[in-house]
Amino acid sequence: MTDALLKALVSVVAMLEDAAKFGMDSHAAVNSLESVAFELDQMDDSERVAFTEAINRVADSADPARREWIRSLPRNLGI
C-alpha cells in the first residue's frame, strides 16, 4: 500500500467519524467504518506490520495535532 493510498484511506475514515458526529446518517457512517475495519482485518500478519509501518510514516508527516489519532487507527479499527 502506497503512502498516498493510505493517506486517502485515513481521510475517508476521518470523514466517516466526523460525519457520524455531525449530521450524516450515523448508521451509514458506522456501517462504512465497520466495512473498512472488516476488510483491513483480512490482512495477514506481514500485511498488518506493513500497514502499521505505513500508518506511522503518514502520521510522522501529518499535522502534529492529528499524529496520535492517525497512529491509533489500527487499534481503533480492531487491527
Coordinates of all heavy atoms in Angstrom, one line a residue:
M1 N 0.8 -1.2 0.0 CA 0.0 0.0 0.0 C 0.9 1.2 0.0 O 1.8 1.4 0.8 CB -0.9 0.0 1.2 CG -1.8 1.1 1.4 SD -2.9 1.1 2.8 CE -4.0 -0.3 2.3
T2 N 0.7 2.1 -0.9 CA 1.5 3.3 -1.0 C 1.0 4.3 0.1 O -0.1 4.2 0.5 CB 1.3 4.0 -2.4 OG1 0.0 4.5 -2.5 CG2 1.7 3.0 -3.5
D3 N 1.9 5.2 0.4 CA 1.5 6.2 1.4 C 0.4 7.1 0.9 O -0.5 7.5 1.7 CB 2.7 7.1 1.8 CG 3.7 6.3 2.7 OD1 3.5 5.1 3.0 OD2 4.8 6.9 3.0
A4 N 0.3 7.4 -0.4 CA -0.7 8.2 -1.0 C -2.1 7.5 -0.8 O -3.1 8.1 -0.4 CB -0.5 8.5 -2.4
L5 N -2.1 6.2 -1.0 CA -3.3 5.4 -0.9 C -3.7 5.4 0.6 O -4.9 5.5 0.9 CB -3.1 4.0 -1.4 CG -4.3 3.1 -1.4 CD1 -5.5 3.7 -2.1 CD2 -3.9 1.7 -1.9
L6 N -2.8 5.2 1.5 CA -3.0 5.2 2.9 C -3.5 6.6 3.4 O -4.5 6.6 4.2 CB -1.8 4.8 3.7 CG -2.0 4.4 5.1 CD1 -3.1 3.3 5.3 CD2 -0.7 4.0 5.7
K7 N -3.0 7.7 2.9 CA -3.5 9.0 3.2 C -4.9 9.1 2.8 O -5.7 9.7 3.5 CB -2.6 10.1 2.6 CG -1.3 10.2 3.2 CD -0.4 11.3 2.5 CE 0.9 11.4 3.1 NZ 1.8 12.4 2.4
A8 N -5.3 8.6 1.6 CA -6.7 8.7 1.2 C -7.6 7.9 2.1 O -8.7 8.3 2.5 CB -6.8 8.1 -0.2
L9 N -7.1 6.7 2.6 CA -7.9 5.9 3.5 C -8.1 6.6 4.8 O -9.2 6.6 5.4 CB -7.2 4.5 3.7 CG -7.9 3.6 4.7 CD1 -9.3 3.2 4.3 CD2 -7.0 2.4 5.0
V10 N -7.0 7.2 5.3 CA -7.1 8.0 6.6 C -8.1 9.1 6.4 O -8.9 9.4 7.3 CB -5.7 8.5 7.0 CG1 -5.8 9.6 8.1 CG2 -4.8 7.4 7.4
S11 N -8.1 9.8 5.3 CA -9.1 10.9 5.1 C -10.5 10.4 5.1 O -11.4 11.0 5.6 CB -8.8 11.6 3.7 OG -7.6 12.2 3.8
V12 N -10.7 9.2 4.5 CA -12.1 8.7 4.4 C -12.5 8.3 5.8 O -13.7 8.6 6.2 CB -12.1 7.4 3.5 CG1 -13.4 6.7 3.6 CG2 -12.0 7.9 2.0
V13 N -11.7 7.6 6.6 CA -12.0 7.2 8.0 C -12.3 8.5 8.8 O -13.3 8.5 9.5 CB -10.9 6.4 8.6 CG1 -11.1 6.2 10.1 CG2 -10.8 5.0 7.9
A14 N -11.5 9.5 8.6 CA -11.7 10.8 9.4 C -13.1 11.4 9.0 O -13.8 11.8 9.9 CB -10.6 11.8 9.1
M15 N -13.4 11.4 7.7 CA -14.6 11.9 7.3 C -15.8 11.1 7.8 O -16.8 11.7 8.3 CB -14.7 12.0 5.7 CG -15.9 12.7 5.1 SD -17.4 11.7 5.0 CE -16.9 10.3 4.1
L16 N -15.7 9.8 7.8 CA -16.8 9.0 8.3 C -17.0 9.2 9.8 O -18.1 9.2 10.3 CB -16.5 7.5 8.0 CG -16.7 7.1 6.6 CD1 -16.2 5.7 6.3 CD2 -18.2 7.3 6.1
E17 N -15.9 9.3 10.6 CA -16.0 9.6 12.0 C -16.7 10.9 12.3 O -17.6 11.0 13.1 CB -14.7 9.5 12.7 CG -14.2 8.1 12.9 CD -12.9 8.1 13.8 OE1 -12.5 9.1 14.3 OE2 -12.5 7.0 14.1
D18 N -16.3 11.9 11.5 CA -16.9 13.3 11.7 C -18.3 13.3 11.2 O -19.2 13.9 11.9 CB -16.1 14.3 10.9 CG -14.8 14.7 11.5 OD1 -14.6 14.3 12.7 OD2 -13.9 15.3 10.8
A19 N -18.6 12.6 10.1 CA -20.0 12.5 9.6 C -20.9 11.9 10.7 O -22.1 12.4 10.9 CB -20.0 11.7 8.3
A20 N -20.5 10.9 11.4 CA -21.3 10.2 12.4 C -21.6 11.2 13.5 O -22.6 11.1 14.1 CB -20.6 9.0 12.9
K21 N -20.7 12.1 13.8 CA -20.8 13.1 14.9 C -21.6 14.3 14.5 O -22.3 14.9 15.3 CB -19.5 13.5 15.4 CG -18.6 12.5 16.0 CD -17.3 13.0 16.4 CE -16.3 12.0 16.7 NZ -14.9 12.5 16.9
F22 N -21.5 14.7 13.2 CA -22.1 16.0 12.8 C -23.1 15.9 11.7 O -23.2 16.8 10.8 CB -20.9 16.9 12.3 CG -19.9 17.1 13.3 CD1 -18.6 16.6 13.2 CD2 -20.2 17.8 14.5 CE1 -17.6 16.8 14.2 CE2 -19.2 18.0 15.4 CZ -17.9 17.5 15.3
G23 N -24.0 15.0 11.8 CA -25.2 15.1 10.9 C -25.4 14.0 9.9 O -26.6 13.8 9.6
M24 N -24.4 13.5 9.3 CA -24.7 12.4 8.3 C -25.4 11.3 9.0 O -25.3 11.1 10.2 CB -23.4 11.9 7.7 CG -23.5 10.8 6.7 SD -21.9 10.3 6.1 CE -22.3 8.7 5.4
D25 N -26.1 10.5 8.3 CA -26.8 9.3 8.9 C -25.7 8.5 9.6 O -24.8 7.9 9.0 CB -27.4 8.5 7.7 CG -28.0 7.2 8.2 OD1 -28.1 7.0 9.4 OD2 -28.5 6.5 7.3
S26 N -25.8 8.6 10.9 CA -24.7 7.9 11.7 C -24.7 6.4 11.5 O -23.7 5.8 11.6 CB -24.9 8.2 13.2 OG -26.1 7.8 13.7
H27 N -25.8 5.8 11.2 CA -25.9 4.4 11.0 C -25.1 4.1 9.7 O -24.3 3.1 9.7 CB -27.3 3.9 10.8 CG -27.5 2.5 10.6 ND1 -27.3 1.5 11.6 CD2 -27.9 1.8 9.5 CE1 -27.5 0.3 11.1 NE2 -27.9 0.4 9.9
A28 N -25.2 4.9 8.7 CA -24.5 4.6 7.4 C -23.0 4.8 7.7 O -22.2 4.1 7.1 CB -25.0 5.6 6.3
A29 N -22.6 5.9 8.4 CA -21.2 6.1 8.7 C -20.6 5.0 9.5 O -19.5 4.5 9.2 CB -21.1 7.4 9.4
V30 N -21.3 4.5 10.5 CA -20.8 3.4 11.3 C -20.7 2.1 10.5 O -19.7 1.4 10.6 CB -21.7 3.2 12.6 CG1 -21.3 1.9 13.3 CG2 -21.5 4.4 13.5
N31 N -21.7 1.9 9.7 CA -21.6 0.7 8.8 C -20.4 0.8 7.9 O -19.7 -0.2 7.6 CB -22.9 0.5 8.0 CG -24.0 0.0 8.8 OD1 -23.8 -0.6 9.9 ND2 -25.2 0.1 8.3
S32 N -20.1 2.0 7.3 CA -19.0 2.1 6.4 C -17.7 1.9 7.2 O -16.8 1.2 6.7 CB -19.0 3.5 5.8 OG -20.1 3.6 5.0
L33 N -17.6 2.4 8.4 CA -16.4 2.2 9.2 C -16.2 0.8 9.5 O -15.1 0.2 9.5 CB -16.4 3.1 10.5 CG -16.2 4.5 10.3 CD1 -16.5 5.3 11.6 CD2 -14.7 4.8 10.0
E34 N -17.3 0.1 9.8 CA -17.2 -1.4 10.1 C -16.7 -2.1 8.9 O -16.0 -3.1 9.0 CB -18.5 -1.9 10.6 CG -18.8 -1.4 12.1 CD -20.2 -1.8 12.6 OE1 -21.0 -2.3 11.7 OE2 -20.4 -1.6 13.8
S35 N -17.2 -1.7 7.7 CA -16.8 -2.4 6.5 C -15.3 -2.2 6.2 O -14.6 -3.1 5.8 CB -17.6 -1.8 5.3 OG -18.9 -2.2 5.4
V36 N -14.8 -1.0 6.5 CA -13.4 -0.7 6.3 C -12.6 -1.6 7.3 O -11.6 -2.2 6.9 CB -13.0 0.8 6.6 CG1 -11.5 1.0 6.7 CG2 -13.6 1.7 5.5
A37 N -13.0 -1.6 8.5 CA -12.3 -2.4 9.6 C -12.4 -3.9 9.2 O -11.3 -4.6 9.3 CB -13.0 -2.2 10.9
F38 N -13.5 -4.4 8.7 CA -13.6 -5.8 8.3 C -12.6 -6.1 7.2 O -11.9 -7.1 7.2 CB -15.0 -6.1 7.8 CG -15.1 -7.5 7.2 CD1 -15.2 -8.6 8.1 CD2 -15.0 -7.8 5.9 CE1 -15.2 -9.9 7.6 CE2 -15.1 -9.0 5.4 CZ -15.2 -10.1 6.2
E39 N -12.5 -5.3 6.2 CA -11.6 -5.5 5.1 C -10.1 -5.5 5.5 O -9.3 -6.3 5.1 CB -11.8 -4.5 3.9 CG -13.2 -4.7 3.2 CD -13.4 -6.1 2.6 OE1 -12.4 -6.7 2.2 OE2 -14.6 -6.5 2.5
L40 N -9.8 -4.5 6.4 CA -8.4 -4.4 6.9 C -8.1 -5.6 7.8 O -7.0 -6.1 7.8 CB -8.2 -3.1 7.6 CG -8.2 -1.9 6.7 CD1 -8.2 -0.6 7.6 CD2 -7.1 -1.9 5.7
D41 N -9.1 -6.2 8.5 CA -8.9 -7.3 9.3 C -8.5 -8.6 8.6 O -8.0 -9.5 9.1 CB -10.1 -7.5 10.2 CG -9.9 -8.5 11.3 OD1 -8.8 -8.3 12.0 OD2 -10.7 -9.4 11.6
Q42 N -8.8 -8.6 7.3 CA -8.4 -9.7 6.4 C -6.9 -9.8 6.1 O -6.5 -10.8 5.5 CB -9.2 -9.7 5.1 CG -10.7 -9.6 5.3 CD -11.3 -10.7 6.2 OE1 -11.1 -11.9 6.0 NE2 -12.0 -10.3 7.3
M43 N -6.2 -8.8 6.5 CA -4.7 -8.8 6.2 C -4.1 -9.9 7.0 O -4.5 -10.2 8.2 CB -4.1 -7.5 6.6 CG -4.6 -6.3 5.8 SD -3.7 -4.8 6.2 CE -4.3 -4.4 7.9
D44 N -3.0 -10.5 6.5 CA -2.2 -11.4 7.2 C -1.2 -10.7 8.1 O -1.1 -9.4 8.0 CB -1.5 -12.4 6.3 CG -0.5 -11.8 5.3 OD1 0.1 -10.8 5.7 OD2 -0.3 -12.4 4.2
D45 N -0.4 -11.4 8.9 CA 0.5 -10.7 9.8 C 1.5 -9.8 9.2 O 1.7 -8.7 9.7 CB 1.2 -11.8 10.7 CG 0.3 -12.5 11.7 OD1 -0.8 -11.9 12.0 OD2 0.7 -13.6 12.2
S46 N 2.1 -10.2 8.1 CA 3.1 -9.3 7.4 C 2.4 -8.1 6.8 O 3.0 -7.0 6.9 CB 3.8 -10.1 6.3 OG 2.9 -10.5 5.3
E47 N 1.2 -8.2 6.3 CA 0.4 -7.1 5.8 C 0.1 -6.1 7.0 O 0.1 -4.9 6.8 CB -0.8 -7.5 5.1 CG -0.6 -8.2 3.8 CD -1.8 -8.8 3.2 OE1 -2.6 -9.4 4.0 OE2 -2.0 -8.7 2.0
R48 N -0.2 -6.7 8.1 CA -0.5 -5.8 9.3 C 0.7 -5.0 9.7 O 0.6 -3.8 10.1 CB -1.0 -6.7 10.5 CG -2.4 -7.2 10.3 CD -2.7 -8.2 11.4 NE -3.9 -9.0 11.0 CZ -5.1 -8.8 11.5 NH1 -5.3 -7.7 12.3 NH2 -6.1 -9.5 11.1
V49 N 1.8 -5.7 9.7 CA 3.1 -5.0 10.1 C 3.3 -3.9 9.1 O 3.6 -2.7 9.5 CB 4.3 -6.0 10.1 CG1 5.6 -5.2 10.2 CG2 4.1 -6.9 11.3
A50 N 3.2 -4.2 7.8 CA 3.4 -3.2 6.7 C 2.4 -2.0 6.9 O 2.8 -0.8 6.7 CB 3.4 -3.8 5.4
F51 N 1.2 -2.3 7.2 CA 0.1 -1.3 7.3 C 0.5 -0.4 8.5 O 0.4 0.8 8.4 CB -1.2 -2.0 7.6 CG -2.3 -1.0 7.8 CD1 -2.9 -0.4 6.7 CD2 -2.9 -0.8 9.0 CE1 -4.0 0.5 6.9 CE2 -3.9 0.0 9.2 CZ -4.5 0.7 8.2
T52 N 0.9 -1.0 9.6 CA 1.2 -0.2 10.8 C 2.4 0.7 10.5 O 2.5 1.9 10.9 CB 1.5 -1.1 12.0 OG1 0.3 -1.8 12.3 CG2 1.8 -0.3 13.3
E53 N 3.4 0.2 9.8 CA 4.6 1.0 9.5 C 4.2 2.1 8.6 O 4.7 3.3 8.8 CB 5.7 0.1 8.8 CG 6.3 -0.9 9.8 CD 7.2 -1.9 9.1 OE1 7.2 -2.0 7.8 OE2 7.9 -2.6 9.8
A54 N 3.3 1.9 7.6 CA 2.9 2.9 6.7 C 2.1 4.0 7.5 O 2.2 5.2 7.2 CB 2.1 2.3 5.6
I55 N 1.2 3.5 8.4 CA 0.4 4.5 9.2 C 1.4 5.4 10.0 O 1.1 6.6 10.0 CB -0.5 3.7 10.1 CG1 -1.7 3.2 9.4 CG2 -0.9 4.5 11.3 CD1 -2.8 4.2 9.1
N56 N 2.4 4.8 10.5 CA 3.4 5.6 11.3 C 4.1 6.6 10.4 O 4.3 7.8 10.8 CB 4.4 4.7 12.0 CG 3.7 4.1 13.2 OD1 2.8 4.6 13.9 ND2 4.1 2.9 13.5
R57 N 4.4 6.3 9.2 CA 5.0 7.2 8.2 C 4.1 8.3 7.9 O 4.5 9.5 7.9 CB 5.5 6.5 6.9 CG 6.7 5.7 7.0 CD 7.2 5.4 5.6 NE 6.2 4.8 4.7 CZ 5.9 3.5 4.7 NH1 6.5 2.6 5.5 NH2 5.0 3.0 3.8
V58 N 2.8 8.0 7.7 CA 1.8 9.0 7.4 C 1.6 9.9 8.6 O 1.6 11.2 8.4 CB 0.5 8.4 7.0 CG1 -0.7 9.4 6.9 CG2 0.6 7.7 5.6
A59 N 1.6 9.4 9.8 CA 1.5 10.2 11.0 C 2.6 11.1 11.2 O 2.5 12.3 11.5 CB 1.3 9.3 12.2
D60 N 3.8 10.6 10.9 CA 5.0 11.5 11.0 C 5.0 12.7 10.1 O 5.5 13.7 10.5 CB 6.3 10.6 10.7 CG 6.6 9.6 11.8 OD1 6.1 9.7 12.9 OD2 7.4 8.7 11.5
S61 N 4.3 12.6 9.0 CA 4.3 13.7 8.0 C 3.0 14.5 8.2 O 2.8 15.5 7.5 CB 4.4 13.2 6.6 OG 3.2 12.4 6.2
A62 N 2.1 14.1 9.1 CA 0.9 14.8 9.3 C 1.0 16.0 10.2 O 2.0 16.2 10.9 CB -0.2 13.9 9.8
D63 N 0.0 16.8 10.3 CA -0.1 17.9 11.2 C 0.1 17.3 12.7 O -0.5 16.3 13.0 CB -1.5 18.6 11.1 CG -1.7 19.7 12.1 OD1 -2.1 19.5 13.2 OD2 -1.4 20.8 11.7
P64 N 0.9 18.0 13.5 CA 1.1 17.4 14.8 C -0.2 17.1 15.6 O -0.2 16.2 16.4 CB 2.0 18.5 15.5 CG 2.7 19.2 14.4 CD 1.7 19.2 13.2
A65 N -1.2 17.9 15.4 CA -2.5 17.7 16.2 C -3.2 16.4 15.8 O -4.0 15.9 16.5 CB -3.4 18.9 15.9
R66 N -2.9 15.9 14.6 CA -3.5 14.7 14.1 C -2.7 13.4 14.3 O -3.2 12.3 14.0 CB -3.9 14.9 12.7 CG -5.0 16.0 12.5 CD -5.5 16.1 11.2 NE -5.9 14.9 10.5 CZ -7.2 14.4 10.6 NH1 -8.1 14.9 11.3 NH2 -7.4 13.3 9.9
R67 N -1.4 13.6 14.6 CA -0.5 12.4 14.6 C -1.0 11.3 15.5 O -1.0 10.1 15.0 CB 0.9 12.8 15.0 CG 1.6 13.6 13.9 CD 3.0 14.1 14.3 NE 3.5 14.9 13.3 CZ 4.4 15.8 13.4 NH1 5.0 15.9 14.6 NH2 4.9 16.5 12.4
E68 N -1.3 11.5 16.7 CA -1.7 10.5 17.6 C -3.0 9.8 17.1 O -3.1 8.6 17.2 CB -1.9 11.0 19.0 CG -2.1 9.9 20.0 CD -1.1 8.8 20.0 OE1 0.1 9.1 19.8 OE2 -1.4 7.6 20.2
W69 N -4.0 10.6 16.6 CA -5.2 10.0 16.0 C -4.8 9.0 14.9 O -5.4 7.9 14.8 CB -6.1 11.1 15.6 CG -7.4 10.5 15.0 CD1 -8.5 10.1 15.7 CD2 -7.7 10.2 13.6 NE1 -9.4 9.6 14.8 CE2 -8.9 9.7 13.5 CE3 -6.9 10.4 12.4 CZ2 -9.5 9.3 12.3 CZ3 -7.5 10.0 11.2 CH2 -8.8 9.5 11.2
I70 N -4.0 9.4 14.0 CA -3.6 8.6 12.9 C -2.9 7.3 13.4 O -3.2 6.2 12.9 CB -2.7 9.3 11.9 CG1 -3.5 10.4 11.2 CG2 -2.1 8.4 10.8 CD1 -2.7 11.4 10.4
R71 N -2.0 7.5 14.3 CA -1.3 6.3 14.9 C -2.3 5.3 15.6 O -2.0 4.1 15.6 CB -0.2 6.7 15.8 CG 1.0 7.3 15.2 CD 2.2 7.5 16.1 NE 3.3 8.1 15.4 CZ 3.6 9.4 15.4 NH1 2.9 10.2 16.2 NH2 4.6 9.8 14.7
S72 N -3.4 5.8 16.1 CA -4.3 5.0 16.8 C -5.3 4.2 15.9 O -6.0 3.4 16.3 CB -5.1 5.8 17.8 OG -6.0 6.6 17.2
L73 N -5.3 4.6 14.6 CA -6.2 3.9 13.7 C -6.2 2.4 13.6 O -7.3 1.8 13.7 CB -6.0 4.5 12.2 CG -6.7 5.8 12.0 CD1 -6.3 6.3 10.6 CD2 -8.2 5.8 12.2
P74 N -5.0 1.8 13.5 CA -5.1 0.3 13.5 C -5.8 -0.3 14.8 O -6.6 -1.1 14.6 CB -3.6 -0.1 13.5 CG -2.9 1.1 12.8 CD -3.7 2.3 13.3
R75 N -5.5 0.3 15.9 CA -6.1 -0.2 17.2 C -7.6 0.1 17.1 O -8.4 -0.7 17.5 CB -5.4 0.4 18.3 CG -6.0 0.0 19.7 CD -5.3 0.7 20.9 NE -5.5 2.1 20.9 CZ -4.6 3.0 20.6 NH1 -3.3 2.7 20.2 NH2 -4.9 4.3 20.6
N76 N -7.9 1.3 16.7 CA -9.3 1.7 16.8 C -10.2 1.0 15.7 O -11.4 0.9 15.9 CB -9.5 3.2 16.5 CG -8.9 4.0 17.7 OD1 -8.8 3.5 18.8 ND2 -8.6 5.3 17.5
L77 N -9.6 0.5 14.7 CA -10.3 -0.3 13.7 C -10.2 -1.8 14.0 O -10.7 -2.6 13.2 CB -9.7 0.0 12.3 CG -10.0 1.4 11.8 CD1 -9.2 1.7 10.5 CD2 -11.5 1.6 11.5
G78 N -9.6 -2.1 15.1 CA -9.6 -3.5 15.5 C -8.5 -4.4 14.9 O -8.6 -5.6 14.8
I79 N -7.5 -3.7 14.4 CA -6.4 -4.4 13.7 C -5.3 -4.8 14.7 O -4.8 -4.0 15.4 CB -5.9 -3.6 12.5 CG1 -7.0 -3.3 11.5 CG2 -4.7 -4.3 11.8 CD1 -6.7 -2.3 10.5

